[in-house]
Amino acid sequence: MSVTKAAERLAGAADLEVVHGERLAQRTSYRIGGPAALTVTVHTYAALVRALRILDEERVEWVVLGRGSNVLVADAGYDGCIVRLGREFSRLSFGDDGQLTVGAGAQLSRVVARCQSEGLSGLEMCVGIPGSVGGAISMNAGTRTEWISSRITSVVTYRPGSGLVRYEASEIDWGYRRTSLPAGEIILEADLLLEKADPAAIAADMESRMAKRRGRQPLNKPSCGSVFRNPPDRSVGEIIESCGLKGFTCGGAQVSDVHANFVVNNGGATANDVLVVLNKVHDEVLRRYGIELIPEVKFLGFQ
Protein backbone atom coordinates (compact mmCIF):
# COMPACT_ATOMS: atom_id res chain seq x y z
CA MET A 1 0.00 0.00 0.00
CA SER A 2 1.39 3.38 -0.98
CA VAL A 3 -0.55 6.30 0.45
CA THR A 4 2.28 8.65 -0.51
CA LYS A 5 2.26 7.61 -4.15
CA ALA A 6 -1.52 7.78 -4.31
CA ALA A 7 -1.42 11.30 -2.89
CA GLU A 8 1.19 12.34 -5.48
CA ARG A 9 -0.95 11.01 -8.32
CA LEU A 10 -4.09 12.71 -6.95
CA ALA A 11 -2.44 16.07 -6.27
CA GLY A 12 -3.49 18.75 -8.71
CA ALA A 13 -6.20 16.67 -10.34
CA ALA A 14 -9.33 18.53 -11.38
CA ASP A 15 -12.34 18.73 -9.06
CA LEU A 16 -10.81 17.06 -6.04
CA GLU A 17 -9.00 18.14 -2.89
CA VAL A 18 -6.34 16.16 -1.02
CA VAL A 19 -5.51 16.54 2.68
CA HIS A 20 -2.89 14.64 4.68
CA GLY A 21 -3.34 13.70 8.32
CA GLU A 22 -6.72 15.30 8.92
CA ARG A 23 -7.89 14.62 12.48
CA LEU A 24 -11.17 12.77 12.22
CA ALA A 25 -12.29 14.02 15.63
CA GLN A 26 -13.06 17.24 13.75
CA ARG A 27 -15.28 15.35 11.30
CA THR A 28 -17.34 13.13 13.59
CA SER A 29 -20.27 13.94 15.85
CA TYR A 30 -18.49 12.04 18.64
CA ARG A 31 -15.54 14.47 18.46
CA ILE A 32 -13.32 11.41 18.81
CA GLY A 33 -10.71 9.89 16.52
CA GLY A 34 -7.14 10.13 15.31
CA PRO A 35 -5.91 11.24 11.88
CA ALA A 36 -6.66 9.77 8.48
CA ALA A 37 -3.61 9.05 6.38
CA LEU A 38 -5.34 10.72 3.45
CA THR A 39 -8.62 12.55 2.81
CA VAL A 40 -9.91 13.14 -0.71
CA THR A 41 -12.96 15.30 -1.42
CA VAL A 42 -14.39 14.67 -4.88
CA HIS A 43 -16.63 17.31 -6.43
CA THR A 44 -17.71 15.53 -9.62
CA TYR A 45 -18.51 12.04 -10.79
CA ALA A 46 -15.41 11.99 -13.02
CA ALA A 47 -13.24 12.97 -10.03
CA LEU A 48 -14.78 10.17 -7.95
CA VAL A 49 -14.05 7.56 -10.62
CA ARG A 50 -10.48 8.84 -11.05
CA ALA A 51 -9.78 8.92 -7.32
CA LEU A 52 -11.04 5.41 -6.66
CA ARG A 53 -9.11 4.03 -9.63
CA ILE A 54 -5.86 5.52 -8.34
CA LEU A 55 -6.50 4.37 -4.77
CA ASP A 56 -7.19 0.85 -5.96
CA GLU A 57 -4.11 0.82 -8.22
CA GLU A 58 -1.98 1.91 -5.26
CA ARG A 59 -3.76 -0.62 -3.03
CA VAL A 60 -4.87 2.06 -0.58
CA GLU A 61 -7.87 1.08 1.51
CA TRP A 62 -10.64 3.67 1.33
CA VAL A 63 -14.03 4.39 2.83
CA VAL A 64 -16.69 6.98 2.05
CA LEU A 65 -17.44 9.13 5.09
CA GLY A 66 -20.34 11.55 5.14
CA ARG A 67 -20.98 13.79 8.14
CA GLY A 68 -19.50 11.29 10.59
CA SER A 69 -22.66 11.10 12.69
CA ASN A 70 -22.75 7.34 13.12
CA VAL A 71 -19.10 6.34 13.36
CA LEU A 72 -16.50 5.75 16.05
CA VAL A 73 -12.95 6.34 14.82
CA ALA A 74 -10.01 4.64 16.54
CA ASP A 75 -7.69 6.76 18.65
CA ALA A 76 -4.84 5.84 16.31
CA GLY A 77 -6.89 7.05 13.35
CA TYR A 78 -7.29 5.38 9.97
CA ASP A 79 -4.34 4.42 7.79
CA GLY A 80 -6.37 4.47 4.58
CA CYS A 81 -8.13 7.19 2.62
CA ILE A 82 -11.35 8.97 3.58
CA VAL A 83 -13.44 9.83 0.51
CA ARG A 84 -15.91 12.70 0.80
CA LEU A 85 -18.62 13.61 -1.69
CA GLY A 86 -18.46 17.31 -2.54
CA ARG A 87 -20.32 19.88 -4.65
CA GLU A 88 -21.96 17.80 -7.39
CA PHE A 89 -23.24 15.35 -4.80
CA SER A 90 -24.82 17.94 -2.52
CA ARG A 91 -27.41 19.41 -4.86
CA LEU A 92 -31.18 19.52 -4.51
CA SER A 93 -33.53 19.68 -7.48
CA PHE A 94 -37.28 20.13 -7.09
CA GLY A 95 -39.56 18.86 -9.84
CA ASP A 96 -43.30 18.82 -10.34
CA ASP A 97 -45.87 17.20 -8.06
CA GLY A 98 -43.57 16.88 -5.05
CA GLN A 99 -40.62 15.26 -6.79
CA LEU A 100 -37.18 15.83 -5.29
CA THR A 101 -33.76 14.68 -6.46
CA VAL A 102 -31.06 15.05 -3.83
CA GLY A 103 -27.37 14.21 -3.72
CA ALA A 104 -26.00 11.81 -1.13
CA GLY A 105 -23.55 14.41 0.14
CA ALA A 106 -26.27 16.88 1.10
CA GLN A 107 -26.73 17.54 4.81
CA LEU A 108 -29.97 15.87 5.88
CA SER A 109 -31.02 18.68 8.23
CA ARG A 110 -30.72 21.25 5.43
CA VAL A 111 -32.79 19.09 3.08
CA VAL A 112 -35.51 18.73 5.71
CA ALA A 113 -35.53 22.50 6.33
CA ARG A 114 -35.59 23.30 2.61
CA CYS A 115 -38.53 20.95 2.03
CA GLN A 116 -40.44 22.68 4.83
CA SER A 117 -39.83 26.11 3.27
CA GLU A 118 -40.97 24.74 -0.12
CA GLY A 119 -44.17 23.40 1.44
CA LEU A 120 -43.28 19.76 0.86
CA SER A 121 -44.23 17.22 3.52
CA GLY A 122 -42.88 13.73 4.06
CA LEU A 123 -39.47 14.11 5.69
CA GLU A 124 -40.63 15.39 9.06
CA MET A 125 -39.60 12.07 10.64
CA CYS A 126 -35.98 13.01 9.87
CA VAL A 127 -35.98 16.31 11.76
CA GLY A 128 -33.14 16.42 14.25
CA ILE A 129 -31.30 13.50 12.66
CA PRO A 130 -27.72 14.54 11.84
CA GLY A 131 -25.62 13.30 8.97
CA SER A 132 -25.81 13.18 5.20
CA VAL A 133 -28.57 12.01 2.89
CA GLY A 134 -26.40 9.07 1.79
CA GLY A 135 -25.96 7.97 5.38
CA ALA A 136 -29.68 8.35 6.04
CA ILE A 137 -30.49 6.15 3.05
CA SER A 138 -27.95 3.46 3.92
CA MET A 139 -29.32 3.29 7.49
CA ASN A 140 -32.96 3.85 6.45
CA ALA A 141 -33.12 6.68 8.96
CA GLY A 142 -36.23 7.79 10.76
CA THR A 143 -38.14 6.77 13.86
CA ARG A 144 -39.16 3.32 15.06
CA THR A 145 -42.30 3.53 12.92
CA GLU A 146 -41.44 5.94 10.08
CA TRP A 147 -38.51 5.54 7.69
CA ILE A 148 -37.06 7.68 4.93
CA SER A 149 -37.56 4.74 2.54
CA SER A 150 -41.30 5.49 2.51
CA ARG A 151 -40.51 8.57 0.41
CA ILE A 152 -37.78 7.20 -1.85
CA THR A 153 -38.68 6.21 -5.41
CA SER A 154 -35.19 5.38 -6.70
CA VAL A 155 -31.52 5.39 -5.70
CA VAL A 156 -28.44 5.83 -7.88
CA THR A 157 -25.16 4.24 -6.78
CA TYR A 158 -21.66 3.94 -8.20
CA ARG A 159 -20.30 0.42 -8.47
CA PRO A 160 -16.48 0.77 -8.49
CA GLY A 161 -14.97 -0.60 -11.66
CA SER A 162 -18.36 -0.88 -13.30
CA GLY A 163 -20.35 2.37 -13.32
CA LEU A 164 -23.67 3.85 -12.32
CA VAL A 165 -26.52 1.66 -11.13
CA ARG A 166 -30.11 2.79 -10.62
CA TYR A 167 -32.37 0.91 -8.24
CA GLU A 168 -36.09 1.42 -8.09
CA ALA A 169 -37.22 1.61 -4.47
CA SER A 170 -39.27 -1.55 -4.99
CA GLU A 171 -36.08 -3.45 -5.85
CA ILE A 172 -34.54 -2.61 -2.47
CA ASP A 173 -35.28 -4.54 0.69
CA TRP A 174 -35.83 -1.86 3.32
CA GLY A 175 -35.80 -2.71 7.01
CA TYR A 176 -35.22 -1.22 10.41
CA ARG A 177 -31.86 0.59 10.15
CA ARG A 178 -30.83 -1.38 7.08
CA THR A 179 -31.19 -1.73 3.32
CA SER A 180 -30.21 -4.40 0.82
CA LEU A 181 -28.07 -1.97 -1.21
CA PRO A 182 -24.70 -3.65 -1.83
CA ALA A 183 -22.10 -2.60 0.74
CA GLY A 184 -19.47 -2.12 -1.97
CA GLU A 185 -21.50 0.47 -3.88
CA ILE A 186 -21.52 4.20 -3.13
CA ILE A 187 -24.86 5.96 -2.87
CA LEU A 188 -24.75 9.08 -5.07
CA GLU A 189 -28.31 10.41 -5.19
CA ALA A 190 -31.95 9.56 -4.65
CA ASP A 191 -35.35 10.54 -6.01
CA LEU A 192 -38.08 11.18 -3.45
CA LEU A 193 -41.80 11.84 -3.73
CA LEU A 194 -43.23 14.31 -1.22
CA GLU A 195 -46.63 15.96 -0.74
CA LYS A 196 -47.66 19.61 -0.93
CA ALA A 197 -48.69 20.98 2.45
CA ASP A 198 -48.87 24.21 4.42
CA PRO A 199 -45.32 25.23 5.42
CA ALA A 200 -46.58 26.45 8.81
CA ALA A 201 -48.21 23.09 9.51
CA ILE A 202 -45.01 21.27 8.53
CA ALA A 203 -42.97 23.56 10.78
CA ALA A 204 -45.33 22.92 13.71
CA ASP A 205 -45.02 19.16 13.22
CA MET A 206 -41.23 19.41 13.07
CA GLU A 207 -41.07 21.53 16.22
CA SER A 208 -43.28 19.04 18.07
CA ARG A 209 -41.00 16.20 17.04
CA MET A 210 -37.90 18.16 18.04
CA ALA A 211 -39.39 18.96 21.43
CA LYS A 212 -39.84 15.24 22.03
CA ARG A 213 -36.25 14.56 20.97
CA ARG A 214 -34.92 17.25 23.30
CA GLY A 215 -36.79 15.69 26.19
CA ARG A 216 -35.72 12.13 25.44
CA GLN A 217 -32.22 12.40 23.99
CA PRO A 218 -28.94 14.00 25.17
CA LEU A 219 -28.66 16.43 22.27
CA ASN A 220 -26.37 18.77 24.22
CA LYS A 221 -23.44 16.34 24.31
CA PRO A 222 -21.35 14.77 21.53
CA SER A 223 -22.55 11.28 20.60
CA CYS A 224 -23.22 9.10 17.59
CA GLY A 225 -26.94 8.79 18.31
CA SER A 226 -28.37 5.42 19.23
CA VAL A 227 -25.56 2.90 19.65
CA PHE A 228 -27.55 -0.36 19.49
CA ARG A 229 -30.48 -1.48 17.34
CA ASN A 230 -33.77 -2.11 19.09
CA PRO A 231 -34.59 -5.83 19.35
CA PRO A 232 -38.01 -6.76 17.89
CA ASP A 233 -40.80 -5.19 19.96
CA ARG A 234 -38.36 -4.04 22.65
CA SER A 235 -36.77 -0.74 23.58
CA VAL A 236 -33.04 -1.24 23.93
CA GLY A 237 -32.84 1.91 26.02
CA GLU A 238 -35.28 0.46 28.54
CA ILE A 239 -33.39 -2.85 28.55
CA ILE A 240 -30.08 -1.12 29.27
CA GLU A 241 -31.67 1.04 31.96
CA SER A 242 -33.16 -2.04 33.64
CA CYS A 243 -29.61 -3.39 33.96
CA GLY A 244 -28.73 -0.39 36.10
CA LEU A 245 -26.28 0.95 33.53
CA LYS A 246 -27.56 4.51 33.15
CA GLY A 247 -24.64 6.72 34.07
CA PHE A 248 -22.01 3.97 33.74
CA THR A 249 -18.76 5.73 32.94
CA CYS A 250 -15.29 4.98 31.64
CA GLY A 251 -13.03 7.99 31.28
CA GLY A 252 -14.95 10.63 29.35
CA ALA A 253 -17.54 8.20 27.94
CA GLN A 254 -20.83 7.63 29.70
CA VAL A 255 -24.13 5.82 29.23
CA SER A 256 -26.40 8.85 29.07
CA ASP A 257 -28.58 9.51 32.09
CA VAL A 258 -31.18 10.89 29.66
CA HIS A 259 -31.42 7.92 27.28
CA ALA A 260 -29.55 4.70 28.01
CA ASN A 261 -29.04 3.84 24.32
CA PHE A 262 -26.79 6.88 23.93
CA VAL A 263 -23.13 6.81 24.95
CA VAL A 264 -22.01 10.42 25.23
CA ASN A 265 -18.66 12.15 25.24
CA ASN A 266 -18.53 14.16 28.47
CA GLY A 267 -15.29 15.76 27.35
CA GLY A 268 -11.97 14.18 26.49
CA ALA A 269 -13.41 10.73 25.83
CA THR A 270 -11.26 8.36 23.80
CA ALA A 271 -12.44 5.69 21.41
CA ASN A 272 -11.19 3.12 23.90
CA ASP A 273 -13.38 4.69 26.60
CA VAL A 274 -16.41 4.29 24.36
CA LEU A 275 -15.50 0.69 23.53
CA VAL A 276 -15.25 -0.19 27.22
CA VAL A 277 -18.73 1.24 27.81
CA LEU A 278 -20.22 -0.49 24.75
CA ASN A 279 -18.71 -3.84 25.74
CA LYS A 280 -19.99 -3.46 29.29
CA VAL A 281 -23.52 -2.77 28.06
CA HIS A 282 -23.40 -5.60 25.51
CA ASP A 283 -22.12 -8.17 27.99
CA GLU A 284 -24.50 -7.19 30.81
CA VAL A 285 -27.58 -7.31 28.56
CA LEU A 286 -26.45 -10.67 27.17
CA ARG A 287 -25.85 -12.03 30.67
CA ARG A 288 -29.13 -10.82 32.11
CA TYR A 289 -31.52 -11.25 29.18
CA GLY A 290 -29.73 -13.46 26.66
CA ILE A 291 -30.12 -10.70 24.05
CA GLU A 292 -27.24 -10.14 21.62
CA LEU A 293 -27.28 -6.39 20.99
CA ILE A 294 -26.31 -5.32 17.47
CA PRO A 295 -24.41 -2.01 17.17
CA GLU A 296 -25.78 0.75 14.97
CA VAL A 297 -22.52 2.66 15.28
CA LYS A 298 -19.87 1.87 12.66
CA PHE A 299 -16.23 1.37 13.64
CA LEU A 300 -13.34 2.78 11.63
CA GLY A 301 -9.63 2.17 12.06
CA PHE A 302 -9.88 -0.66 14.58
CA GLN A 303 -7.89 -3.85 14.07
Side-chain angles (χ1 to χ4, degrees):
M1 180 174 75
S2 177
V3 172
T4 301
K5 190 171 181 181
E8 291 173 352
R9 295 180 62 186
L10 290 165
D15 298 318
L16 62 80
E17 302 167 20
V18 180
V19 177
H20 298 265
E22 180 183 43
R23 287 197 61 80
L24 295 179
Q26 303 170 0
R27 294 286 190 171
T28 66
S29 60
Y30 245 140
R31 301 294 181 259
I32 293 173
L38 198 64
T39 300
V40 175
T41 302
V42 294
H43 294 294
T44 64
Y45 174 71
L48 171 65
V49 174
R50 182 188 309 115
L52 295 189
R53 175 177 54 79
I54 290 173
L55 291 172
D56 287 341
E57 288 175 354
E58 299 299 334
R59 299 183 181 180
V60 176
E61 180 182 307
W62 57 267
V63 64
V64 175
L65 184 67
R67 301 281 170 169
S69 62
N70 194 40
V71 62
L72 178 66
V73 179
D75 296 316
Y78 177 58
D79 61 6
C81 179
I82 297 295
V83 178
R84 299 189 185 283
L85 301 180
R87 290 189 303 270
E88 186 175 286
F89 308 102
S90 301
R91 296 174 178 169
L92 283 76
S93 176
F94 293 93
D96 298 327
D97 301 321
Q99 297 178 17
L100 168 65
T101 298
V102 59
Q107 188 172 344
L108 182 60
S109 61
R110 292 183 178 178
V111 175
V112 172
R114 178 71 184 280
C115 288
Q116 181 275 325
S117 66
E118 295 284 337
L120 292 174
S121 174
L123 292 181
E124 291 87 338
M125 87 287 280
C126 292
V127 67
I129 298 177
S132 66
V133 168
I137 294 171
S138 67
M139 289 294 292
N140 199 10
T143 67
R144 290 195 68 178
T145 58
E146 300 173 282
W147 305 336
I148 193 172
S149 58
S150 66
R151 293 296 174 175
I152 294 175
T153 58
S154 67
V155 176
V156 174
T157 70
Y158 172 62
R159 183 179 297 164
S162 179
L164 297 175
V165 183
R166 177 179 291 275
Y167 296 93
E168 297 303 317
S170 59
E171 298 177 278
I172 302 170
D173 179 23
W174 304 94
Y176 174 67
R177 299 295 181 266
R178 67 170 182 82
T179 78
S180 63
L181 290 168
E185 296 181 14
I186 302 169
I187 298 172
L188 298 184
E189 70 175 28
D191 292 324
L192 294 84
L193 185 61
L194 307 175
E195 299 171 358
K196 291 295 293 183
D198 176 25
I202 299 172
D205 184 12
M206 288 167 56
E207 179 52 39
S208 175
R209 292 171 183 265
M210 274 305 300
K212 291 179 181 178
R213 284 187 183 274
R214 293 187 194 102
R216 298 174 182 174
Q217 299 177 2
L219 302 183
N220 62 333
K221 293 184 178 181
S223 77
C224 70
S226 299
V227 289
F228 293 107
R229 297 181 186 178
N230 285 305
D233 303 319
R234 300 288 299 275
S235 165
V236 69
E238 292 176 0
I239 293 172
I240 296 169
E241 184 173 356
S242 72
C243 292
L245 291 172
K246 253 190 176 182
F248 176 79
T249 301
C250 177
Q254 178 188 44
V255 176
S256 170
D257 53 13
V258 177
H259 192 309
N261 197 27
F262 282 66
V263 174
V264 298
N265 179 357
N266 279 330
T270 65
N272 187 65
D273 291 341
V274 176
L275 281 182
V276 170
V277 174
L278 293 181
N279 288 332
K280 173 67 174 180
V281 170
H282 173 276
D283 293 348
E284 187 62 19
V285 169
L286 182 62
R287 183 188 70 81
R288 186 169 298 196
Y289 293 105
I291 297 173
E292 185 84 35
L293 294 181
I294 300 173
E296 284 189 19
V297 59
K298 298 178 181 179
F299 302 92
L300 181 63
F302 294 90
Q303 297 300 320

